[in-house]
């Protein structure tokens, strides 16, 4: 294998990594090609074995290579970057790169249950009647809506029937569909939690739906005073990003407000399956199914790239949202829907979620442990849940400086200020997504993060 390497000085590993990446990108190393063992390549090139192992590890993390016990290291079949933003952030000019992505938002993509998904896809396609491949109900395949109704009732306490479900391209499309429909139902403004993702706010604003702001404290969104809006978008099971759970009293208040005023609650249940200290609280939707749109997604349990999500709608919104979905894209891909339906009914979804729950729980514990040992001046807050945690920095520290120090160590993190939808009034903090690095990279990611915080 001629890698055209010029290996010298401290950039040996970076050079090897760049050469391998280039060889894969340009097709010189074809998908499936088995690479030499790290020992053999190191001996060949006259460099340390560690350098080769680390270069392989990095390229596995980026999705160019795969490593399986017994099968060695190979060029990935679909050699494509696992995280486009992370690879874009890389630069070759001697600038340190983003190697360890601790930004919130993604599950561990290297843990996607490929073989289970493939067998579900095979089974679903073999069993599907021909008409299932044609144009169908814009709400989605009945097989999937039935599977989801059962799963959501069992796992999240949602009161769902298949005819109230619209399958969509993630929460993102679900919200966009609602934004088209809500103005016609008397909603002029939607209230959102004052800390959250900017994207939904942009979607709401583009439809002229506000937003109004709700404060957030230790009990989740503050509902006293009640919002000056006809609808609110909440993350009740795990406030994003502050990690609080909506208190039982506020859940009841929210349901009462909606039922009493005809208001609407959009419940973004993005990571409700992941609770580590107790059974997850059930969906708020069950308290007022005619006033709550429950929104779920496969983006945290499986992978965002699937673009699979679902809305469970109050009766009065079903037709209008179905029409909006029909206009937007006709329907979500029936093959993906049939596969997910099979994946759920076969029990693979539950098995996968159980496995990931265990993994993410351990990662969170290790994050707590690493910070307690190496950066005792910071404090992790939020309930034991989800795929991210907020790490509060001592007063007076600068979020951007800590983020920059982490970046200089190849670690991408975000400051809480990135999620302030109005003024950032809280103390400095980081939002750490602990699920996204592949397992083999997590130890180093934590060590580098702790070093970046500690060396204030
Ligand atoms: C708070 C929140 N809601 C929803 C989503 C999921 O969006 P989608 O289903 O469009 O991938 C995310 C993903 O990052 C999120 O952080």
């Amino acid at each position: 294998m001629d890698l055209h390497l010029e290996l010298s000085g401290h950039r040996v590993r970076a050079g090897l990594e760049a050469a391998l990446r280039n060889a894969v990108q340009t097709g010189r190393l074809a998908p499936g090609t088995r690479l030499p063992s790290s020992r053999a390549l190191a001996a060949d090139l006259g460099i340390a074995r560690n350098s080769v192992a680390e270069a392989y590890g990095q390229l596995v993390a980026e999705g160019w290579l795969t490593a399986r016990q017994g099968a060695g290291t190979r060029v990935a079949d679909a050699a494509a970057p696992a995280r486009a933003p992370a690879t874009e952030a890389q630069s070759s000019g001697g600038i340190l790169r983003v190697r360890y992505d601790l930004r919130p938002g993604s599950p561990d993509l290297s843990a996607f249950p490929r073989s289970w998904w493939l067998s579900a896809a095979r089974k679903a396609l073999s069993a599907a009647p021909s008409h299932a491949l044609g144009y169908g109900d814009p709400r989605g395949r009945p097989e999937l809506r039935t599977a989801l109704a059962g799963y959501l009732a069992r796992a999240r306490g949602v009161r769902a029937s298949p005819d109230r479900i619209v399958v969509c391209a993630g929460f993102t499309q679900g919200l966009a569909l609602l934004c088209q429909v809500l103005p016609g139902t008397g909603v002029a403004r939607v209230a959102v939690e004052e800390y959250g993702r900017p994207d939904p706010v942009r979607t709401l604003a583009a439809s002229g739906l506000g937003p109004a702001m709700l404060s957030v404290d230790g009990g989740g969104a503050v509902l006293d005073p009640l919002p000056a809006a006809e609808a609110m978008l909440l993350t009740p099971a795990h406030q994003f990003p502050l990690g609080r759970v909506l208190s039982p009293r506020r859940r009841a208040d929210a349901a009462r407000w909606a039922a009493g005023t005809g208001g609407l609650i959009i419940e973004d249940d993005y990571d409700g399956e992941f609770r580590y200290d107790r059974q997850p609280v059930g969906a708020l939707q069950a308290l007022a199914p005619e006033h709550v749109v429950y929104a779920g997604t496969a983006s945290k349990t499986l992978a965002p790239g699937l673009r699979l999500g679902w809305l469970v709608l109050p009766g009065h919104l079903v037709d209008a949202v179905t029409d909006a979905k029909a206009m937007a894209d006709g329907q979500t891909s029936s093959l993906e829907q049939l596969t997910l339906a099979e994946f759920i009914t076969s029990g693979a979804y539950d098995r996968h979620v159980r496995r990931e729950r265990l993994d993410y729980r351990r990662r969170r514990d290790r994050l707590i442990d690493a910070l307690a040992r190496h950066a005792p001046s910071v404090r992790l807050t939020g309930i034991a849940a989800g795929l991210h945690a907020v790490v509060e920095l001592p007063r007076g520290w600068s979020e951007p400086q800590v983020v920059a120090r982490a970046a200089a160590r190849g670690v991408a993190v975000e400051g809480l200020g990135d999620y302030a939808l109005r003024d950032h009034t809280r103390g400095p903090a980081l939002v750490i997504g602990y699920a996204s690095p592949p397992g083999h990279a997590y130890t180093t990611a934590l060590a580098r993060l702790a070093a970046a915080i500690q060396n204030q």
Side-chain angles (χ1 to χ4, degrees):
M1 184 170 58
D2 183 0
L3 291 170
H4 307 293
L5 287 175
E6 280 176 42
L7 300 172
S8 61
H10 68 286
R11 296 195 46 80
V12 165
R13 195 191 64 201
L16 174 61
E17 219 176 275
L20 282 169
R21 191 183 293 108
N22 181 267
V24 176
Q25 279 171 333
T26 56
R28 248 181 326 121
L29 285 176
T33 307
R34 185 168 181 160
L35 297 183
S37 70
S38 55
R39 187 190 301 276
L41 186 57
D44 233 28
L45 299 171
I47 62 177
R49 184 179 170 194
N50 250 1
S51 304
V52 179
E54 285 179 17
Y56 279 6
Q58 174 61 24
L59 295 172
V60 168
E62 291 175 14
W64 301 112
L65 304 180
T66 59
R68 297 236 165 73
Q69 206 127 41
T73 305
R74 291 175 185 274
V75 177
D77 280 341
R83 295 290 305 265
T87 38
E88 271 163 29
Q90 293 174 354
S91 145
S92 55
I95 298 167
L96 281 160
R97 315 147 191 231
V98 170
R99 285 158 186 249
Y100 302 98
D101 197 346
L102 290 174
R103 291 172 295 183
S106 179
D108 177 1
L109 301 176
S110 72
F112 184 81
R114 292 180 193 229
S115 59
W116 294 351
W117 187 262
L118 278 173
S119 37
R122 193 171 299 116
K123 198 157 167 210
L125 187 54
S126 313
S130 300
H131 67 77
L133 306 178
Y135 295 112
D137 188 332
R139 289 176 300 177
R141 290 295 310 167
E143 295 89 336
L144 179 56
R145 288 186 287 115
T146 304
L148 282 171
Y151 170 76
L152 294 173
R154 175 165 59 74
R156 303 294 302 121
V158 175
R159 297 201 2 217
S161 64
D163 56 324
R164 295 274 184 100
I165 295 178
V166 173
V167 178
C168 46
F171 171 79
T172 303
Q173 187 185 41
L175 182 65
L177 299 177
L178 289 169
C179 282
Q180 285 176 45
V181 166
L182 293 186
T185 66
V187 174
R189 251 154 93 86
V190 178
V192 301
E193 296 156 333
E194 62 178 340
Y195 281 83
R197 288 190 311 140
D199 287 358
V201 170
R202 282 211 298 271
T203 306
L204 291 168
S207 305
L209 290 168
M213 292 288 164
L214 297 167
S215 301
V216 179
D217 66 14
V222 177
L223 301 176
D224 182 14
L226 283 161
E230 296 76 30
M232 44 185 171
L233 170 59
L234 299 176
T235 46
H238 191 216
Q239 203 282 329
F240 187 86
L242 295 171
R244 305 298 180 170
V245 64
L246 190 66
S247 73
R249 186 165 165 189
R250 289 185 189 166
R251 285 161 65 89
D253 286 349
R256 210 173 306 115
W257 165 81
T261 63
L264 185 78
I265 297 167
I266 303 167
E267 176 173 22
D268 177 6
D269 195 37
Y270 64 105
D271 68 357
E273 282 90 349
F274 296 109
R275 180 88 194 234
Y276 311 127
D277 54 342
R278 47 161 284 176
Q279 284 293 102
V281 285
L284 168 61
Q285 185 263 5
L287 300 182
E290 293 304 331
H291 299 278
V292 178
V293 176
Y294 173 90
T297 178
S299 291
K300 310 291 169 184
T301 48
L302 284 165
L306 283 175
R307 303 317 297 138
L308 282 171
W310 38 90
L311 298 177
V312 182
L313 295 157
H316 72 282
L317 291 178
V318 173
D319 288 347
V321 172
T322 305
D323 282 352
K325 173 67 180 168
M327 273 198 296
D329 59 5
Q331 65 187 51
T332 294
S333 153
S334 47
L335 288 184
E336 300 295 5
Q337 291 193 61
L338 291 168
T339 301
L340 181 59
E342 171 59 30
F343 198 76
I344 293 172
T345 49
S346 69
Y349 194 77
D350 288 271
R351 277 202 301 282
H352 176 66
V353 168
R354 267 202 305 277
R355 194 170 69 179
E356 294 313 285
R357 192 183 290 133
L358 202 63
D359 181 31
Y360 298 153
R361 176 194 186 144
R362 287 198 187 115
R363 288 176 184 233
R364 186 175 181 277
D365 289 345
R366 288 179 59 197
L367 171 64
I368 293 173
D369 190 51
L371 294 175
R373 280 166 192 256
H374 304 298
S377 54
V378 306
R379 197 169 75 98
L380 187 134
T381 62
I383 58 168
L387 282 58
H388 74 277
V390 170
V391 171
E392 291 181 355
L393 304 171
R395 292 255 156 210
W397 284 25
S398 145
E399 267 174 27
Q401 274 177 22
V402 179
V403 170
R405 275 206 308 278
R409 288 171 168 76
V411 179
V413 287
E414 284 177 346
L416 182 58
D418 294 338
Y419 295 94
L421 300 176
R422 54 180 172 191
D423 298 337
H424 183 20
T425 48
R426 291 168 188 257
L430 302 177
V431 185
I432 305 292
Y434 47 77
S436 58
H440 68 82
Y442 192 59
T443 306
T444 314
L446 281 190
R448 292 187 179 206
L449 171 70
I453 294 176
Q454 187 189 22
N455 294 337
Q456 155 73 2

